Amino acid sequence: MSGRKRPRGAATSGPGDQPPTAKFFVGGLAQSVDSAKLVQYFEGRYAPHRVEACEVVYDRHTRRSRGFGFVTMDLRAVAAAVDDQARDPQTHRLDGKAVQIKPATPVGVSPP
């Protein structure tokens, strides 16, 4: 894949024997939830899988959370998180608020 960018949200294989990773969307976040809380929640719930990347999106003018973010971790953990959400929409709760988990959709692509 020389010179080509991976679409945002696409699964990738890590170097060496690293398992493939994928990105998922986390919506409905309380204002108090930051990246550290997301990492703590998902690493605690889906141990031993580790969060590879995490980002809560903030408004660039007000610097307040926009209420959503993205987490990248082992593909198996992402599948489990999405599956748990499908079974019970209230299963993922952060700071007392139910959050929504969906596979990330690359920019410019309509979700299925």
Side-chain angles (χ1 to χ4, degrees):
M1 247 172 67
S2 62
R4 290 179 51 201
K5 282 188 164 183
R6 176 179 60 88
R8 289 173 43 178
T12 62
S13 293
D17 62 349
Q18 297 261 339
T21 61
K23 183 185 278 191
F24 60 96
F25 168 88
V26 183
L29 296 174
Q31 289 292 312
S32 58
V33 175
D34 60 10
S35 294
K37 283 186 181 180
L38 279 181
V39 169
Q40 182 181 14
Y41 174 79
F42 285 105
E43 286 187 350
R45 181 157 181 149
Y46 296 103
H49 304 294
R50 308 282 300 168
V51 170
E52 298 293 322
C54 181
E55 174 189 16
V56 171
V57 179
Y58 292 90
D59 181 283
R60 71 181 98 180
H61 301 293
T62 66
R63 297 183 186 197
R64 292 187 62 198
S65 170
R66 292 184 58 198
F68 69 93
F70 297 93
V71 176
T72 302
M73 60 190 310
D74 184 289
L75 183 60
R76 294 168 293 190
V78 173
V82 171
D83 190 46
D84 290 346
Q85 176 79 41
R87 280 193 223 137
D88 179 8
Q90 300 293 311
T91 195
H92 297 291
R93 299 187 72 80
L94 287 152
D95 284 2
K97 190 173 177 189
V99 297
Q100 182 181 29
I101 307 293
K102 296 192 266 186
T105 304
V107 174
V109 176
S110 296

